[in-house]
Amino acid sequence: SEILLVENTPPPSQYKTAIKTLPAWHFDLETARRSLCQQFSTLDLAGFGCDDFTLGLEAAGALLGYARLTQGQAIAHVRGIRVYAAESFVRMDAATRRNLEITQTLRGEAAPTLLSLLDTCASNMGSRLLNQWLHHPLRDRAALRARLDAVENLSAFCGVVHEQIKPCVDVERISARIALRSARPKDLSGLRDTLVQLPQLHGALQNNTSLLVAELAAAVLPDPELSTLLQRMLRAEPSSVLRDGGVIADGFDAELDELRGIQTNCGDFLLALETRERARSGIPTLKVEYNRVHGFYIEVTHAQAVNVPDDYRHRQTLKNAERYITPELKTFEDKALSANERALAREKLLYEQLLDQLAPHIAPLQRIAAAIAELDVLATFAERAATLNFSAPTFSDEAVLSIHNGRHPVVEAQVEQFIANDTHLHDQRQMLLITGPNMGGKSTYMRQVALITLLAHCGSFVPAGETVLGEIDQIFTRIGSSDDLASGRSTFMVEMTEAANILHHATEKSLVLVDEIGRGTSTFDGLALAYAIARHLLEVNRSYTLFATHYFELTRLSDQFTQLANVHLKAIEHQHSIVFLHSVNEGAANQSYGLQVAALAGVPNEVIKNARRQLRTLEQQSAMQNPQGDLFAAVAIPPNAQDSPEPVEHPAVAALRNAQPDELSPKAALEKLYQLKSLV
């Protein structure tokens, strides 16, 4: 894939793909409008809903011109333009698509991802459509209910549907090749066989009670005239390339049959001619033969030369024989020697005529391809629902996001036993503040909520026992850490950029996942930012929010906001080791078990012991000095800070300040130490 840009435009750093720059005039609005109208054979673009667009039309015109340039011809199969309205889909930014690992893992691999788990489609057309649906989840409740009803009705027929679709070729791409006149003979023979197969697919689905399935089943029926044309013109097994011949069926064209007959029946003709000439001339030793140098000839011995008929023309004299040619043999020679070349030329002409005859059928073929692809995806959803124990989601007009026994479909497929968890969000419970140990499953839990929501808005069943969803307009994620060194952005800068995008655009209908915000800076800065971001999401955005953190101080937010609930991932510690239970429970966790996780990762025991000693020291210092204080305590600032009294010094600090170490004996120093300890 490529991105087209105007010359001298800085390339966007977030796209890791080829960049093609074009002169600015390629993006001229009026040129684009004329080009698009000419392509679609319309006076204007009002019928496509984009007549008043500017940037969109400029981009479309540049793309159309670039396609014509690369193909070297008109793009006849492009017959319209579609406007994608953002409000028609559940929006997801690039960070969200990456973090949810929809079609690519965080490491850039194709599996394991949501697509790799779901894609059991029987055709490439279905796989491409499934990819598109996963990246463009719908908000239209009527369309979603139609898909879900189709999936439910196909549960008993998904195997039959896939069995019927599997032999089908990629009709979508073959249609484009026909339009570009680059379709190979094998493409057309595959298309012919597919058109013969489709009535069986229609028959298998004609009694389905789903309106969507019934519409798609009707749409796959091909034009009988097209199917008949391909069957009449093409051989059952044509050659791979046209230049080898053997593409047009025998009996379709008399001239081609004659040329082929000359090639295949040359020996029979020569034997028959030899028999006739022996009888006519009375020469029993007469021979009709062929060589590459002299072509066809009649050979008689010198003794019989006086008996040759008058119409024989001398061609060559040998030591013991004379060679002749007749008008009949000359005519046959001309045909035979050029028959192969003429047959190939004739086949090429007939094949070009076939492509001309197929051109009016491109639009119907595209509709057939779309119907096959959609049936394939719906049947795949039905098969995956049965295999992976998915259930149908329910959509509600109320503000609710309720999932009972939800599971992460990709992680569940990778482990022996997956612990299902519930999620309940509504007007009075807008945010779940999630605490718990590292590796306890916080990120998995949050991602599974997003994936369940995504699948439901694709029209698929979901990995949960019961799911009720209110209206969702966007899904945002701020998960993991990564930098963008090419554009000079640090890990923390990327983190804050993603957080800013969420805070600016999330609405009360958005699903927001925030994981470990503020960890890329100092403890005080990070804690303050995490607190402020959580509070803004509660007070301003009012989104459905899952907020995972190791800042346990944030759990005190539930005292201020009743719409925030604390939940934690449970774990059990046993003899300096840890067992993750992966179950979500109400309430806040009491520790992160970071040292135990480090031990599981293989950090040397000596390092773990030193860390444990340092942790005790830090905890004691924190208890003595309390440098952090209470982040959520209300601080009263005096009207005139200069008139405020000096803080009272701790007695232990005063005693230590007044001590004179050089004047103390060992015994007196020990007594002073006991005194300081008693003061503390």
Side-chain angles (χ1 to χ4, degrees):
S1 61
E2 287 185 323
I3 296 178
L4 303 181
L5 292 177
V6 182
E7 282 182 338
N8 302 321
T9 301
S13 59
Q14 66 267 33
Y15 295 108
K16 308 255 185 318
T17 187
I19 303 294
K20 176 68 176 179
T21 58
L22 298 174
W25 61 267
H26 281 260
F27 295 85
D28 179 70
L29 178 60
E30 292 306 317
T31 301
R33 196 186 301 276
R34 287 195 301 271
S35 179
L36 291 169
C37 289
Q38 179 185 8
Q39 177 72 25
F40 307 145
S41 301
T42 59
L43 293 176
D44 54 42
L45 301 173
F48 300 103
C50 59
D51 198 40
D52 56 346
F53 285 21
T54 54
L55 294 178
L57 290 182
E58 291 172 0
L63 179 60
L64 179 62
Y66 183 67
R68 288 172 175 169
L69 178 66
T70 56
Q71 297 302 316
Q73 58 183 304
I75 314 298
H77 62 290
V78 179
R79 302 305 307 157
I81 187 170
R82 184 184 303 173
V83 176
Y84 278 87
E87 60 272 12
S88 300
F89 303 97
V90 178
R91 296 175 60 190
M92 298 182 292
D93 57 20
T96 299
R97 299 176 196 274
R98 181 180 65 253
N99 289 329
L100 294 182
E101 298 181 304
I102 299 173
T103 54
Q104 192 176 63
T105 68
L106 294 175
R107 296 184 300 274
E109 299 171 353
T113 61
L114 184 62
L115 178 64
S116 70
L117 177 72
L118 297 179
D119 189 6
T120 59
C121 294
S123 69
N124 291 333
M125 296 177 288
S127 296
R128 289 195 298 271
L129 183 62
L130 174 59
N131 189 325
Q132 180 186 357
W133 280 12
L134 291 178
H135 281 289
H136 296 84
L138 295 177
R139 294 180 62 185
D140 186 343
R141 296 291 181 85
L144 291 174
R145 290 190 177 99
R147 287 184 184 178
L148 291 171
D149 182 55
V151 172
E152 183 175 0
N153 279 272
L154 285 172
S155 59
F157 301 96
C158 57
V160 175
V161 172
H162 276 169
E163 183 180 348
Q164 296 292 335
I165 292 178
K166 193 171 184 178
C168 296
V169 296
D170 197 330
V171 180
E172 184 179 24
R173 290 191 170 174
I174 290 176
S175 301
R177 290 170 187 162
I178 292 173
L180 298 174
R181 305 187 71 81
S182 62
R184 299 182 295 270
K186 288 291 186 182
D187 292 331
L188 298 189
S189 66
L191 177 62
R192 173 201 61 204
D193 297 340
T194 296
L195 297 180
V196 173
Q197 176 77 17
L198 291 179
Q200 300 180 41
L201 176 61
H202 170 78
L205 296 173
Q206 61 181 354
N207 295 325
N208 196 283
T209 58
S210 167
L211 294 178
L212 177 57
V213 173
E215 292 175 1
L216 295 174
V220 301
L221 279 178
D223 184 351
E225 179 184 345
L226 174 60
S227 182
T228 302
L229 173 64
L230 291 172
Q231 291 181 65
R232 286 181 54 242
M233 286 197 67
L234 296 175
R235 280 187 169 180
E237 292 292 336
S239 61
S240 299
V241 291
L242 183 60
R243 64 174 177 270
D244 292 340
V247 173
I248 303 300
D250 295 330
F252 177 77
D253 182 73
E255 182 179 346
L256 179 60
D257 290 342
E258 180 184 2
L259 293 171
R260 285 176 175 169
I262 293 174
Q263 298 176 70
T264 58
N265 302 321
C266 181
D268 295 338
F269 174 81
L270 295 180
L271 288 175
L273 179 63
E274 183 177 85
T275 302
R276 292 199 311 271
E277 290 303 313
R278 283 181 178 180
R280 184 164 75 97
S281 65
I283 304 173
T285 57
L286 180 146
K287 298 178 182 179
V288 179
E289 294 183 347
Y290 165 81
N291 66 39
R292 292 186 178 182
V293 177
H294 299 97
F296 293 94
Y297 55 85
I298 299 173
E299 183 177 292
V300 297
T301 62
H302 287 309
Q304 298 290 340
V306 295
N307 298 323
V308 299
D310 294 337
D311 59 344
Y312 279 34
R313 299 291 180 265
H314 184 268
R315 169 161 278 190
Q316 185 183 14
T317 299
L318 302 179
K319 181 179 180 181
N320 299 316
E322 297 288 341
R323 290 177 176 176
Y324 301 91
I325 188 78
T326 66
E328 180 184 7
L329 187 57
K330 178 61 177 175
T331 301
F332 177 79
E333 179 183 63
D334 293 340
K335 287 185 177 181
L337 294 180
S338 63
N340 183 54
E341 182 179 346
R342 292 166 59 197
L344 290 177
R346 183 64 181 172
E347 277 202 269
K348 187 176 185 301
L349 175 64
L350 293 173
Y351 193 79
E352 293 293 331
Q353 292 176 355
L354 174 59
L355 292 178
D356 291 337
Q357 292 175 279
L358 292 177
H361 296 278
I362 291 174
L365 286 174
Q366 289 174 328
R367 288 193 292 270
I368 289 173
I372 294 174
E374 190 162 352
L375 280 172
D376 195 1
V377 175
L378 293 173
T380 296
F381 281 167
E383 182 274 327
R384 292 284 81 188
T387 303
L388 303 176
N389 192 27
F390 288 5
S391 65
T394 302
F395 295 102
S396 172
D397 294 330
E398 300 178 1
V400 61
L401 192 157
S402 178
I403 300 171
H404 178 64
N405 285 339
R407 313 184 307 276
H408 191 299
V410 181
V411 175
E412 183 182 27
Q414 305 296 315
V415 299
E416 293 183 4
Q417 183 178 6
F418 188 91
I419 305 300
N421 286 295
D422 298 346
T423 305
H424 300 291
L425 295 170
H426 45 75
D427 278 341
Q428 306 304 316
R429 184 183 166 101
Q430 296 172 356
M431 177 182 290
L432 297 184
L433 191 70
I434 309 168
T435 51
N438 288 295
M439 291 185 60
K442 298 189 297 295
S443 294
T444 298
Y445 172 66
M446 292 196 300
R447 284 185 172 98
Q448 78 185 33
V449 173
L451 291 179
I452 289 171
T453 303
L454 169 63
L455 285 174
H457 285 84
C458 292
S460 168
F461 284 21
V462 298
E466 182 180 356
T467 304
V468 180
L469 297 174
E471 187 174 359
I472 302 292
D473 62 355
Q474 301 172 93
I475 300 176
F476 292 100
T477 67
R478 177 31 258 160
I479 298 175
S481 60
S482 62
D483 54 36
D484 188 0
L485 299 180
S487 58
R489 298 194 302 168
S490 67
T491 299
F492 184 66
M493 185 62 179
V494 171
E495 180 181 332
M496 288 298 102
T497 301
E498 294 176 0
N501 180 54
I502 294 173
L503 297 176
H504 282 303
H505 297 102
T507 71
E508 61 184 10
K509 296 178 181 179
S510 301
L511 173 61
V512 177
L513 313 181
V514 179
D515 187 16
E516 302 302 339
I517 198 76
R519 302 294 286 184
T521 184
S522 70
T523 303
F524 292 160
D525 285 352
L527 179 56
L529 281 168
Y531 165 75
I533 289 171
R535 183 162 187 162
H536 192 279
L537 287 169
L538 282 166
E539 294 180 326
V540 180
N541 302 101
R542 301 178 60 83
S543 308
Y544 303 110
T545 306
L546 303 181
F547 199 105
T549 185
H550 280 290
Y551 292 132
F552 295 111
E553 295 85 351
L554 294 183
T555 59
R556 303 264 314 268
L557 275 170
S558 61
D559 298 335
Q560 301 179 40
F561 299 95
T562 58
Q563 63 270 39
L564 181 146
N566 286 309
V567 298
H568 69 279
L569 274 296
K570 199 170 183 180
I572 298 176
E573 186 177 10
H574 178 67
Q575 295 181 350
H576 301 305
S577 65
I578 185 171
V579 177
F580 302 110
L581 301 182
H582 302 296
S583 62
V584 177
N585 299 269
E586 295 292 325
N590 55 8
Q591 64 181 108
S592 294
Y593 300 101
L595 299 185
Q596 292 83 346
V597 173
L600 289 176
V603 175
N605 289 334
E606 188 61 30
V607 175
I608 299 297
K609 291 178 181 179
N610 287 333
R612 202 178 300 279
R613 285 195 295 268
Q614 183 65 19
L615 177 61
R616 284 196 295 267
T617 301
L618 293 173
E619 289 175 342
Q620 291 171 1
Q621 290 177 354
S622 177
M624 291 175 59
Q625 300 173 7
N626 193 23
Q628 184 166 293
D630 188 351
L631 182 66
F632 308 107
V635 179
I637 302 177
N640 188 349
Q642 295 180 352
D643 298 335
S644 60
E646 292 292 332
V648 178
E649 191 173 49
H650 194 280
V653 177
L656 185 60
R657 188 186 306 281
N658 296 328
Q660 300 296 326
D662 294 337
E663 300 176 1
L664 295 176
S665 65
K667 183 178 180 182
L670 184 60
E671 290 176 351
K672 176 64 71 174
L673 180 59
Y674 279 116
Q675 178 188 358
L676 291 172
K677 182 173 176 57
S678 65
L679 291 174
V680 172

